[in-house]
Structures are given as C-alpha cells and as structure tokens.
Amino acid sequence: MSLGAWLELLTSGLITGGIYALVALGLNLQYGLMRILNIAHGEFLMVGAYLTWMVQTSFGIHPLVMVPVSFALLMALGLAVHFLCFRRLTATSPNLDVFEARGLMVAFGLMFLVQNFVNWIWGGDLRGYEFLTEPVRFGGAQFAANKLLVFALSLLFAGAMIVLLRMTLLGKGVRALMQSPVGAQLVGINTRMLHPLMFGIGLGLSGVAGCLLSMAYTISPSMGEPYTVTALIVITLGGFGSMSGALAGGLLLGVVEALGMHFTNPSLKALLSYAVFIAVLLLRPEGLFTRKSRKA
C-alpha cells in the first residue's frame, strides 16, 4: 500500500471513531453519574439526524446551523425524559441495583417508542442529502470534505465536554458524584440539579452526533441501535465514567475496525468490535485508559 492509501485508511478509521467517541461520551455521562444504562441513547441520535435532514430538505436550512439546535432540542428532550421517567424511579427504587434494573427496562421501552414514532412520522426508507461532497486532496490521499468536517466537529464537542468536566466547578461536582455519590452529597453537591442536567447534556451530545452523521451518511429509523452497542464497547474500552477514556476508546475502535475490514472482510466489522469488547472485559475490565484510583 502507498503512503496515501495508508493515510486514507487511518483517517477513515479516525472519522468513524470520532462519532463513536461523541456518542459514547453522552452514554458514559449518564451511566457513570446516575447508573442509567440508557440503551435508547442511539435512538435519540437518530432523532437528531432526522431533524437535520428534515429542515435541510424541507426548508433549506444549512446543516451546520442545526448542530447547536440539535444539541439544545435533544438536551431539552433529555430533561423531560429524566423528569417523567428516571426521577420517579430514583425516588421509588429501594436501592441502586433495583434502580439500574428498572432504568434498563424503561430505556428498552423508550428505544422502541422513539424508533416506532420516527418510523411512523417519516417512514422506513433510507434518507439523505448532499452536503460538501467534493473531495479534498492531501499528501497523495483523497478525503470527502463532509467527513473531515464531521471528524473535526466530533473532536471539538468531545474536547469541550472533557474540558467542562476537568476545568469547571460544575465538572468537579460531576466527577465527585461519579467517584462517591454519598460523599458528594455529604459535602452539599445538589444531585437533584446535576442528574437531570447531565442526562440532558448526554442526550444533547447524541443529537449532535446524529446531526453530524446526517451530513455524510444515509439515515434510517434503525440506525440508532448499532451506535448504542458500539458506545457500550467504547466505554468498556475507555473505562466506565472516564470521559477522556471514551474519546481514546472511540478513536481506537474506529481505527481497529478500519484496519480489520481492510485486511480481512468488511462483513467482519461487528465480529472485530465484539472480539475487542470481550478481550478487554476478560483482560482489563477497568478499561484500557483508566487508572483504578482516578476517573475522568
């Protein structure tokens, strides 16, 4: 393979990995902070993708305008979902194990509810639109401009989330809750405010990921579930509760998939991902990028 071909292959993996990381950050935030394993997370990504497609094709609104709009709308939806579903579960569950089990069942219901609602509104056909499809040439390699933009924006949002958690007072409160919920409450951290806020931000990030995906790929009502599964693999790689680990894990998984599909068979993509998932669970269950004494 030429240098340009290697560059295209690795860049393709990083572009995919950037989306993986952005989706995983939102899910990791929800599970790491609240122990809500939101398996409907990918369905809200799909909602963000469909909203962007709808306003672009129906009203001609530029997809980049929809990036902050998707974040705001899905964050507001996340606040509503938390208030209507998970807030009550928190109050009625006798312990954390019961809450996790009930939360998982609620998330299952949300997954099918959202998926069928989108299928009812927009149908089950593949959708898409053209956006920045012209190629960009660099170093003997050729890349689609829209995919490069998707990668750059994915890294931007992921980096902003990590900086928020590391550098701000809000982020310190979130990390304290992740490390010791009881200790954080004893020092006065307001869980009733942080839990819905972080759940909303998590869904906001999924909305951004869906918006970005619509710029470069076709979308369908069934697109969300594979991204939820991939996000679970990514946060296992990076460590539950570790935001920087989720970013590194997403990029790594994207590159592994790209290399594996190139040198084996594209149909083995899922097999490669699950093989990595099982190996990490068996050999390093705390994650590849996480120290046992410190997360985030």
Side-chain angles (χ1 to χ4, degrees):
M1 289 177 62
S2 65
L3 179 61
W6 274 107
L7 188 58
E8 287 183 9
L9 182 61
L10 293 175
T11 303
S12 174
L14 289 173
I15 291 170
T16 304
I19 290 291
Y20 288 170
L22 191 58
V23 180
L25 280 170
L27 184 60
N28 208 6
L29 190 63
Q30 294 166 355
Y31 185 76
L33 179 63
M34 293 163 280
R35 289 298 184 267
I36 296 174
L37 189 54
N38 182 21
I39 58 172
H41 195 71
E43 304 339 291
F44 293 99
L45 171 149
M46 178 257 294
V47 170
Y50 267 90
L51 287 174
T52 305
W53 163 79
M54 181 187 69
V55 300
Q56 203 282 330
T57 55
S58 300
F59 306 106
I61 297 176
H62 199 283
L64 288 179
V65 175
M66 284 301 295
V67 173
V69 173
S70 294
F71 179 82
L73 290 177
L74 268 295
M75 181 176 173
L77 181 58
L79 292 172
V81 168
H82 186 276
F83 179 80
L84 294 173
C85 300
F86 297 105
R87 182 170 175 265
R88 178 167 176 78
L89 284 183
T90 303
T92 57
S93 299
N95 55 59
L96 183 59
D97 290 338
V98 173
F99 172 75
E100 285 194 49
R102 291 176 177 176
L104 185 61
M105 293 301 101
V106 169
F108 260 114
L110 285 172
M111 179 179 71
F112 292 114
L113 179 66
V114 174
Q115 190 177 114
N116 283 280
F117 179 78
V118 169
N119 192 52
W120 174 58
I121 294 295
W122 288 298
D125 297 332
L126 292 175
R127 308 287 186 178
Y129 55 89
E130 290 192 359
F131 175 68
L132 291 180
T133 54
E134 61 273 12
V136 175
R137 293 175 176 81
F138 176 77
Q142 182 172 291
F143 313 99
N146 53 6
K147 293 184 178 180
L148 291 179
L149 179 62
V150 166
F151 178 59
L153 291 176
S154 297
L155 289 187
L156 177 64
F157 272 87
M161 190 68 224
I162 292 172
V163 170
L164 174 70
L165 292 178
R166 285 185 177 272
M167 303 297 182
T168 66
L169 186 61
L170 174 65
K172 289 180 181 179
V174 172
R175 289 188 288 127
L177 274 173
M178 287 182 176
Q179 292 176 0
S180 176
V182 175
Q185 292 179 57
L186 288 175
V187 298
I189 293 176
N190 188 354
T191 59
R192 292 178 63 86
M193 183 273 289
L194 276 183
H195 281 182
L197 178 61
M198 290 301 110
F199 189 88
I201 289 177
L203 283 199
L205 290 176
S206 74
V208 171
C211 177
L212 297 180
L213 279 170
S214 74
M215 298 179 188
Y217 304 95
T218 55
I219 62 175
S220 72
S222 61
M223 67 181 287
E225 187 177 345
Y227 281 99
T228 301
V229 176
T230 301
L232 289 172
I233 296 174
V234 168
I235 61 180
T236 301
L237 288 176
F240 286 96
S242 172
M243 299 298 114
S244 54
L247 175 58
L251 296 175
L252 175 63
L253 183 62
V255 171
V256 168
E257 286 185 352
L259 292 174
M261 288 190 296
H262 178 79
F263 290 108
T264 57
N265 191 302
S267 64
L268 298 179
K269 176 182 177 181
L271 177 62
L272 292 167
S273 299
Y274 288 125
V276 171
F277 178 54
I278 293 170
V280 172
L281 281 177
L282 293 176
L283 301 176
R284 192 176 170 85
E286 71 274 11
L288 298 177
F289 307 101
T290 304
R291 296 178 182 178
K292 292 183 180 181
S293 59
R294 185 180 178 183
K295 289 185 179 181

